[in-house]
Amino acid sequence: PRSTLFPYTTLFRSGMRRVVFNQKGGVGKSSITVNLAAISASEGKRTLVVDLDPQCNASQYLLGMPAYSNGHGPKPNIGTFFAQTLSFRLKEKDPRDYVHATPFENLFVLPSDGELGEIEHMLESKHKIYKLRGLLKALAKDFDEIFVDTPPAYNFYTLSSLIAADRVLIPFDCDAFSRKALYTLLENIQEAREDHNDDLQVEGIVVNQYQPRARLPQELVASLEEEGLPILANKLSSSVVMRESHEKATPLVNMQPRHKLTDEYRALFREISAG
């Protein structure tokens, strides 16, 4: 019910909107999105995760696989939102109607659905690229922090998120192929900034699955820093606990609050919050 999800409707907020974006798959976008959001929520901030990936990884991480047992996620969801923009006959919902509570205090999700893939072409052809920005601006009044997970591609949904965001976090997994893709990715962000969103800023590159004792990751990160790329100081280690966290549909701070990787996420959240 609305009174449960939004008990503070008289309090005006203006939530920071962050998009976690990389065109390469397997770099930890969903893990970083969900765990930074969970840290934010654990510190008392009303926090929203918006899942724009048709694979629904962030949504399943927060709500569990049973929520997707019928092949579709809970409704209404982000697919419902975009679908209603295609028809003038449908009455628009209150933006908060798309938001669902998670089992974790202060943490909410606007879940994804496979429908996103089915309607992407229609959304492009009808120039709905600014609709997400309007939705997130409205929701920012109810949330202190908004984190947006994106698909591993530069497409309608990722561009929509860049238009809607204040900041971009770029996951990087210490792979030579990821390094080559970084420059194209940064060019795409700059183009989105120049064409659509003057306020968009790259908050930094999150080094994920980092092995501090291994020579190649150290050299790769050092060379990126020498080139002036915005590498964030706090890096995320590789750990089997992340797989367990996914299987239990429980963010690290809620499952193992004293784990080393949880502490690394806390440090990373403090770093980006200080900026």
Side-chain angles (χ1 to χ4, degrees), residues 84-159:
Q84 63 88 20
T85 69
L86 294 169
S87 175
F88 292 107
R89 297 178 182 177
L90 294 177
K91 181 181 178 181
E92 289 193 15
K93 294 179 179 290
D94 185 308
R96 297 175 295 183
D97 289 341
Y98 300 101
V99 174
H100 296 253
T102 75
F104 314 104
E105 188 176 5
N106 296 320
L107 188 55
F108 302 82
V109 63
L110 204 173
S112 187
D113 191 278
E115 183 181 15
L116 287 178
E118 300 168 8
I119 63 175
E120 181 179 359
H121 177 70
M122 289 184 286
L123 292 167
E124 286 179 325
S125 64
K126 291 186 177 293
H127 310 290
K128 302 295 184 177
I129 200 71
Y130 294 100
K131 290 296 183 179
L132 182 68
R133 182 168 68 181
L135 178 68
L136 296 193
K137 279 188 174 181
L139 288 171
K141 299 172 185 176
D142 289 292
F143 293 96
D144 301 302
E145 301 276 352
I146 297 175
F147 289 85
V148 184
D149 191 24
T150 56
Y154 188 57
N155 60 14
F156 172 86
Y157 297 115
T158 47
L159 181 55

Side-chain angles (χ1 to χ4, degrees), residues 22-28 170-186 205 208-209 220 224 229:
N22 194 316
Q23 296 162 208
K24 182 177 181 291
V27 296
I170 303 170
F172 175 74
D173 63 352
C174 294
D175 177 86
F177 293 107
S178 295
R179 177 181 180 171
K180 292 179 180 178
L182 263 182
Y183 299 99
T184 301
L185 185 152
L186 288 166
I205 296 170
N208 191 28
Q209 302 178 40
L220 185 56
L224 293 175
L229 294 183

Side-chain angles (χ1 to χ4, degrees), residues 211-266:
Q211 298 173 296
R213 294 192 178 95
R215 180 178 59 85
L216 288 178
Q218 284 185 343
E219 292 178 351
L220 185 56
V221 171
S223 67
L224 293 175
E225 290 174 334
E226 289 172 5
E227 292 168 18
L229 294 183
I231 305 293
L232 290 165
N234 289 283
K235 302 172 179 61
L236 302 172
S237 303
S238 177
S239 175
V240 294
V241 74
M242 184 58 76
R243 181 180 297 174
E244 183 183 355
S245 174
H246 280 270
E247 289 173 352
K248 292 187 175 182
T250 306
L252 289 170
V253 71
N254 304 99
M255 187 183 79
Q256 290 203 26
R258 298 181 181 178
H259 194 277
K260 175 189 174 185
L261 186 54
T262 307
D263 288 339
E264 291 173 354
Y265 269 104
R266 284 195 185 97

